[in-house]
Amino acid sequence: MINLKTDEEIEILRENNLLVSKTLAEVGKHIKPEITTLELDRIAEEFIRDNGAEPGFLGYNGFPNTLCISVNSVVVHGIPSNYRLQEGDIVSVDCGTKMKGFYGDSAYTFAVGTISAEAANLLKITKECLFKGIEQINSGARTGDISNAIQTHAERHGYSVVREMIGHGLGRNMHEKPDVPNYGKKGNGAKLQSGMVICIEPMINAGKRDIYIEDDGWTVRTCDKKYSAHFELAVAIRDKGKADILSTFKFIEDTIN
Ligand code: MG
Ligand code: MG
């Protein structure tokens, strides 16, 4: 069942997702060689609580922290630790909030200092995949149109698409219907309707698509240990199939550029 949101509920979702966007920018300011991923997690938790919300991921299905921090070959769900970021790392930071009964959820992959041209291209193409997906949102579109646009763009550049984790509806629950895979066929999947709120989140691998979960039960890593990148925004579908993007990378990109 797909929970369609009222205009008022979409505004609460926007508040949550803007706070996530600002939290990611705050974290981004501190992404430098030598900081530990656990220090980044504390910065995010304090920022979220100072802004009147709760971390959305902390305790979610038992997840131990505020942020999922996924470095280099980690795809998603990395647990913050004493690992110190190094020049040349790429680091995906996924953040959730909960406020007024609704969730926010967004992710950005940052460069630590100067990164290789190979890593920089993966970040560029993965972010483009996300916006190619959003461009598909239109009156009469289906989730498969988004999926297909993401897959096509990634594979055109020689990258592969993770299958096991996908985008999702967002609302009073972190993960709702409809599913929004990052691969698939045009014309398949749920029809987009006014009041739907979805998270589109391509997870794109530089090498093969195969992944495994480490012994901690969370960390998802590429089998070939090549880089993986992840970008995520929450989008509401409004009247006439118009996309209303609830989160934004503006705060991040104003900070890091
Ligand atoms: Mg997320
Ligand atoms: Mg998500």
Side-chain angles (χ1 to χ4, degrees), residues 207-225:
K208 295 198 164 62
R209 69 176 168 88
D210 310 80
I211 53 136
Y212 69 99
I213 299 176
E214 292 192 338
D215 291 341
D216 62 18
W218 284 103
T219 307
V220 177
R221 195 182 291 275
T222 58
C223 290
D224 61 13
K225 307 286 166 65

Side-chain angles (χ1 to χ4, degrees), residues 7 9 21 31 79 95 110 122-123 148 152 154 165 205 208 212 223 233-235 244 250:
D7 289 352
E9 290 172 333
S21 303
I31 290 187
I79 298 175
C95 180
F110 296 86
L122 178 67
L123 300 193
N148 184 262
T152 300
M165 275 96 35
N205 294 349
K208 295 198 164 62
Y212 69 99
C223 290
L233 290 169
V235 187
D244 181 1
K250 182 182 184 301

